[in-house]
Amino acid sequence: MRPTDPSTAGAPAAQAAVRPPLPVKLVVAGGFGVGKTTAVGSISEIEPLTTEAAITEVAAGVDDLSHTPSKTTTTVAMDFGCLTIDPTLKLYLFGTPGQERFGFMWDDIVEGAVGGLVIVDTRRLDDCYAAVDYFEHKQIPFAVAVNAFDGKVEHDLDEVRWALDVADEVPLLVFDARERGSVRDALLVVLEQALHRAEN
């Protein structure tokens, strides 16, 4: 019997160890100024790609800045970031623009996504109706994350669920878009929702 070359011993195991993680696409959506860019930036392990443009006087006349008076820029195409969950799984995050006038980009951004996180500002619930309707219409699993601006929300989750008219099986949670751990937990909820849908 030919002796085993020590340099090749355990080669299959070594190859398995260096196998790249499975890429999974998630979308972060919601209305104008709800915290999408902040959430992607908080969690991304790379410098996030953003397409922020200055809010002009014309845009300020169209977009409601009453609850975000310090906001000086807005996403005009998408945000992008990524997060390695473990050696087998890597999330690629795509943030949508929040304004309705940029809605024509959504189909391209969402293509191939396994799920979505719809971020909500309870002071402006009507701003997220379009995102909720989009994921429901496309039958893409999603969760609703209420962003706790200043550490609080204006309405409790039961009121938010009723106002948005989302099904009981859609996860609804409170999170802080500025906190890495909070964003990670919200994204894991979306992953669980997508896995549950795939199994049924």
Side-chain angles (χ1 to χ4, degrees):
M1 178 182 293
R2 195 171 186 178
T4 302
D5 183 348
S7 65
T8 61
Q15 291 172 357
V18 298
R19 179 177 298 165
L22 178 69
V24 174
K25 181 178 180 179
L26 294 182
V27 173
V28 179
F32 170 75
V34 297
K36 301 180 298 296
T37 299
T38 299
V40 173
S42 296
I43 197 67
S44 180
E45 63 194 20
I46 64 170
E47 184 70 25
L49 168 67
T50 62
T51 54
E52 294 279 284
I55 296 176
T56 64
E57 290 185 13
V58 173
V62 175
D63 301 321
D64 181 8
L65 300 176
S66 59
H67 292 288
T68 55
S70 61
K71 187 172 177 62
T72 59
T73 62
T74 185
T75 300
V76 295
M78 70 173 186
D79 300 313
F80 173 78
C82 62
L83 171 67
T84 301
I85 297 295
D86 60 37
T88 67
L89 186 64
K90 187 168 186 174
L91 302 184
Y92 290 89
L93 309 173
F94 291 77
T96 65
Q99 297 94 321
E100 187 176 342
R101 63 183 179 276
F102 296 126
F104 66 91
M105 303 179 187
W106 275 51
D107 284 344
D108 290 333
I109 294 173
V110 173
E111 184 177 0
V114 302
L117 182 69
V118 176
I119 301 179
V120 172
D121 179 351
T122 54
R123 301 168 299 182
R124 298 176 291 129
L125 283 175
D126 54 336
D127 287 355
C128 74
Y129 290 151
V132 170
D133 288 345
Y134 184 91
F135 286 107
E136 288 180 338
H137 178 71
K138 295 290 186 178
Q139 298 186 332
I140 298 172
F142 70 99
V144 175
V146 176
N147 195 3
F149 286 89
D150 300 320
K152 62 181 181 180
V153 295
E154 296 291 325
H155 305 282
D156 64 36
L157 293 184
D158 287 339
E159 292 174 327
V160 173
R161 184 179 295 280
W162 177 85
L164 297 180
D165 193 26
V166 293
D168 290 340
E169 61 267 20
V170 175
L172 192 60
L173 56 116
V174 176
F175 88 131
D176 188 331
R178 302 165 298 179
E179 297 292 332
R180 179 180 177 84
S182 185
V183 177
R184 184 179 188 275
D185 290 345
L187 293 173
L188 289 177
V189 169
V190 177
L191 275 178
E192 291 174 3
Q193 188 75 348
L195 180 61
H196 177 72
R197 176 76 65 87
E199 291 175 343
N200 293 327

